[in-house]
Amino acid sequence: MKKADLVIHGGRVVSPDSIIEASIAIRDGKILTVGTADAMPEATETFDATGLHVLPGAIDVHVHFRDPGYPTKEDWGTGTAGAAFGGVTTVFDMPNTLPTTATPDALAQKHTIASSRAHIDYGLYGFLGEDTIGNVQDMVEAGVIGFKLYMGETFGRLPSPSTGAMLEAFEVVAETGKRISLHAETASIMSRRESRMRDTGRCDPMAHIAARPAIVAVEAVSRAAALAEWTGARIHILHISSAEELRPLAEAKARGVDITGETCPHYLFLSTDDYRRVGGVIRINPPVREPRNQEPIWSALQSGLIDMIATDHSPHTPEQKTRNDIWTVDCGFPGVETQMPLMLTQVAQGRASICDYVRWSAANPAKHWGLYPRKGVIQAGADADLALVDLNRTMTIDDQALQTRSKITPWNGRTITGLPIHTIVRGRFVMRDRQLIADTAGWGRSVHSIQKMPPAKPRNTELTMRNIVKHVEARPT
Ligand code: NCD
Ligand code: ZN
């Protein structure tokens, strides 16, 4: 057998359905073989992973790295360093940067920046707005992983498109086979409630959730699912926060809609009970909700109704997070570095198995986004993207020690059990012994070129905007 670049011995290799003691041989960034130690080829370097579990690196399909546009909050260097410390080897970056990633030019600019600074692999979302539908085909050619549509206005003040524009956007994207990720909160409900509260002078942290009761998510998920069923567009529901929105999600799945869902650690482990302690820092969209939502969301993850864990890593500066008037506090907080330790803590407590975790964090995101089995699995032929974790290591999360530029989170002071110790991206250590390997900046690559979505399945194509317009124009006069 060919000589390997690296052989990792002694670890426990995890997949969604097995934990095996095995060695892993890596060559040219890919896994050559997984097997017993004596079956390994000669190697340039060997690495002893005794006592560690070897997981496929996490794939976080929802981060905001703010670059270009908001360098005081984050950039591709600091964001992907955080990912490396969090055992995350691929991220999908959101388009609410400056310029908005809505044109092929803006996308090309972001590709250039990311490829020069990223420590880990990435995909880039294209923005779907009222007036950007005409760019979809060019954006696909310029290399997007999927599209993002904000049904509710959020950071960046990007107006949410009308339902008419949404339908047309879904029609156009359906033909490409790409998935559309939705911020599923209905703008008009929220803005009306918020403006009434502001008029009466309410500006406490709980006013934020009062403006966005779960009905905003129920309405938005239901509407998006109806449009997806009609058009055949593939959709993904971002940051599921409420028990109630699980019903339209389940109904859509039962009807055969290609719909997936994610939740985030803050909806599982934080609640309205934390608003007083954490203050405005907890402000995020959708809001962290009442404790009664946690158990149904957790059960949905266990049952497979919710497909994956993502973070909505959305950093803002300490000044932007600590203003007194809640309406002026920027929404979001960092998460890419703390997701894995927080989830592994649940494994330590027996609430989930390490196999479940790998399914939620790596295998399922890879499958639903057309990256499997290149990513999301440890087997011959896959990219050698690995998180080597110590399931017994405890640590107290300290915001100041995080890699993100925005060192303020609701997790500060929380003790976790289970920590990534080394992170490997396509065969190369990007984090080793909890140290960043600085010269891996620029090692990250866009994964759009290896994405293989199933064939597109557009529906009602004779009724699309494009076809009705053509029909009218072609009518004899
Ligand atoms: C995100 C951000 O800051 O970009 N904020 C948030 O509260 N989640 C935007 C988003 O994902 O909605
Ligand atoms: Zn969002």
Side-chain angles (χ1 to χ4, degrees), residues 93-423:
D93 182 61
M94 288 295 173
N96 58 336
T97 41
L98 273 180
T100 310
T101 319
T103 63
D105 280 351
L107 179 63
Q109 183 191 356
K110 194 183 272 190
H111 270 302
T112 303
I113 297 169
S115 66
S116 68
R117 296 192 189 149
H119 294 273
I120 63 146
D121 285 352
Y122 52 85
L124 305 181
Y125 279 106
F127 175 79
L128 277 182
E130 188 79 20
D131 304 309
T132 66
I133 301 166
N135 299 342
V136 164
Q137 203 52 51
D138 290 342
M139 300 279 286
V140 169
E141 274 152 39
V144 290
I145 196 72
F147 289 90
K148 168 74 176 276
L149 192 150
Y150 289 92
M151 298 176 80
E153 208 176 290
T154 182
F155 176 72
R157 302 237 161 249
L158 301 164
S160 46
S162 62
T163 307
M166 258 181 91
L167 175 62
E168 190 178 346
F170 278 29
E171 290 170 358
V172 172
V173 178
E175 290 178 0
T176 73
K178 296 277 182 189
R179 197 174 285 285
I180 304 167
S181 285
L182 295 153
H183 181 116
E185 289 189 296
T186 297
S188 62
I189 302 177
M190 303 186 296
S191 61
R192 189 176 175 93
R193 293 169 72 94
E194 175 178 331
S195 71
R196 288 287 173 82
M197 278 190 288
R198 291 179 89 143
D199 287 350
T200 62
R202 256 199 90 173
C203 62
D204 54 296
M206 288 295 284
H208 176 59
I209 174 168
R212 324 169 85 100
I215 187 61
V216 303
V218 174
E219 200 279 340
V221 172
S222 307
R223 183 155 46 101
L227 298 177
E229 181 168 6
W230 180 263
T231 58
R234 302 194 161 103
I235 60 171
H236 175 69
I237 305 298
L238 299 161
H239 41 44
I240 290 171
S241 63
S242 70
E244 287 87 349
E245 76 203 87
L246 297 170
R247 179 185 53 76
L249 173 66
E251 286 171 0
K253 282 196 171 186
R255 291 177 66 80
V257 178
D258 191 337
I259 182 172
T260 55
E262 71 179 34
T263 191
C264 313
H266 42 278
Y267 303 117
L268 293 167
F269 312 133
L270 297 174
S271 73
T272 43
D273 291 348
D274 297 292
Y275 274 60
R276 189 181 293 273
R277 177 181 62 82
V278 178
V281 175
I282 206 166
R283 188 180 194 212
I284 193 162
N285 299 326
V288 166
R289 298 191 182 282
E290 301 81 359
R292 64 175 174 77
N293 293 280
Q294 292 177 338
E295 196 52 49
I297 294 174
W298 185 264
S299 302
L301 204 46
Q302 297 276 11
S303 74
L305 176 57
I306 295 178
D307 301 273
M308 64 194 82
I309 284 284
T311 67
D312 191 6
H313 176 86
S314 38
H316 299 286
T317 67
E319 186 278 320
Q320 292 157 343
K321 289 300 294 177
T322 52
R323 296 168 182 156
N324 284 330
D325 175 349
I326 195 65
W327 305 117
T328 65
V329 173
D330 279 351
C331 296
F333 44 77
V336 75
E337 189 171 342
T338 45
Q339 176 270 115
M340 191 176 286
L342 288 166
M343 293 301 293
L344 293 181
T345 304
Q346 300 299 305
V347 173
Q349 292 170 0
R351 203 164 176 218
S353 73
I354 188 72
C355 296
D356 289 334
Y357 174 67
V358 161
R359 189 169 70 248
W360 303 329
S361 63
N364 280 355
K367 285 177 181 167
H368 293 299
W369 288 90
L371 299 176
Y372 197 89
R374 229 349 238 281
K375 297 205 182 278
V377 61
I378 301 174
Q379 68 182 29
D383 283 354
D385 294 348
L386 308 171
L388 280 67
V389 305
D390 182 345
L391 292 183
N392 298 316
R393 179 84 74 95
T394 62
M395 187 186 80
T396 299
I397 295 174
D398 171 6
D399 283 352
Q400 294 312 311
L402 295 173
Q403 300 296 308
T404 179
R405 189 153 297 147
S406 297
K407 299 185 191 312
I408 185 160
T409 80
W411 307 112
N412 192 41
R414 185 175 284 244
T415 298
I416 57 85
T417 303
L419 194 66
I421 310 296
H422 320 282
T423 302

Side-chain angles (χ1 to χ4, degrees), residues 61-79:
V61 306
H62 189 173
V63 305
H64 300 265
F65 282 170
R66 311 290 191 211
D67 190 4
Y70 305 97
T72 57
K73 295 178 193 275
E74 197 75 293
D75 65 36
W76 275 95
T78 52

